[in-house]
């Protein structure tokens, strides 16, 4: 019986070393975390952000934020890596395609929706804050401003 404890100890030690070495070699995915920057629509630019979280697949899941459209943490979307580009693994009304720079310092990409192609550049950092809420109320404006029909609606 005295020999049993050292053998169990050696067996655990031999099995544990390769597992610990493999765990130490596995670096976190460089996409994980929050990224912030600008989304461009012609000459206009708007605050935009992406957040990557650990998902079920080999590539992190993505959530995106566009304060001007009142969108915060839209997602999560499973992502896939193809030819150096990250794409959504599922179809949606919005499509994002992005690439991480070789030094892992910047994300460049494009947001596609309703025929719009909006490029963006992001660096690691906090997501853009939501827009302040107008608590004073707003004056109603007509939906039709020019070339409105003159027929009254009853």
């Amino acid at each position: 019986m005295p020999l049993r404890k050292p053998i169990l100890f050696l067996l655990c030690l031999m099995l544990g070393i390769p597992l610990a070495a493999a765990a130490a070699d596995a670096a976190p995915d460089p996409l994980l975390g929050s990224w912030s920057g600008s989304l461009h629509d012609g000459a206009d630019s708007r605050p935009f952000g992406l957040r990557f979280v650990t998902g079920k697949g080999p590539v992190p899941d993505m959530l995106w934020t566009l304060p001007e459209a009142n969108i915060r943490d839209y997602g999560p979307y499973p992502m896939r890596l193809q030819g150096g580009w990250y794409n959504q693994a599922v179809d949606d009304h919005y499509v994002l395609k992005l690439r991480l720079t070789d030094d892992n310092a910047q994300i460049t990409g494009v947001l596609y929706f309703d025929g719009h192609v909006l490029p963006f550049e992001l660096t690691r950092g906090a997501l853009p804050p939501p827009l302040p809420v107008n608590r004073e109320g707003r004056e109603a404006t007509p939906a039709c401003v020019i070339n409105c029909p003159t027929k009254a609606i009853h």
Side-chain angles (χ1 to χ4, degrees), residues 104-149:
N104 297 339
Q106 187 177 20
I107 291 176
T108 58
V110 179
L111 168 65
Y112 301 94
F113 78 98
D114 288 343
H116 299 278
V117 179
L118 307 173
F120 59 85
E121 301 90 26
L122 310 172
T123 56
R124 191 171 295 284
L127 293 173
L131 293 177
V133 177
N134 181 359
R135 301 271 184 216
E136 297 175 12
R138 296 184 184 179
E139 185 176 319
T141 57
C144 182
V145 179
I146 57 173
N147 296 327
C148 300

Side-chain angles (χ1 to χ4, degrees), residues 17-29:
I17 289 175
L19 293 175
D25 289 343
D29 193 293

Side-chain angles (χ1 to χ4, degrees), residues 7-138:
I7 290 175
L8 285 175
F9 175 75
L10 285 175
L11 185 59
C12 290
L13 185 63
M14 289 183 342
L15 290 175
I17 289 175
L19 293 175
D25 289 343
D29 193 293
L31 281 177
L32 288 174
S34 297
W35 298 78
S36 184
S38 297
L39 177 85
H40 306 287
D41 184 7
D44 296 331
S45 70
R46 295 163 175 81
F48 182 69
L50 297 176
R51 186 165 62 93
F52 293 91
V53 297
T54 302
K56 294 179 182 175
V59 177
D61 288 354
M62 176 196 67
L63 299 100
W64 59 280
T65 295
L66 182 59
E68 187 172 295
N70 201 25
I71 296 173
R72 184 131 188 109
D73 273 349
Y74 189 75
Y77 287 102
M79 300 295 286
R80 66 177 171 243
L81 179 60
Q82 292 179 320
W85 287 91
Y86 292 90
N87 300 294
Q88 292 166 221
V90 294
D91 290 333
D92 187 41
H93 180 69
Y94 302 99
V95 176
L96 282 129
K97 183 176 180 178
L98 54 107
R99 173 172 271 179
L100 185 63
T101 57
D102 291 338
D103 62 359
N104 297 339
Q106 187 177 20
I107 291 176
T108 58
V110 179
L111 168 65
Y112 301 94
F113 78 98
D114 288 343
H116 299 278
V117 179
L118 307 173
F120 59 85
E121 301 90 26
L122 310 172
T123 56
R124 191 171 295 284
L127 293 173
L131 293 177
V133 177
N134 181 359
R135 301 271 184 216
E136 297 175 12
R138 296 184 184 179

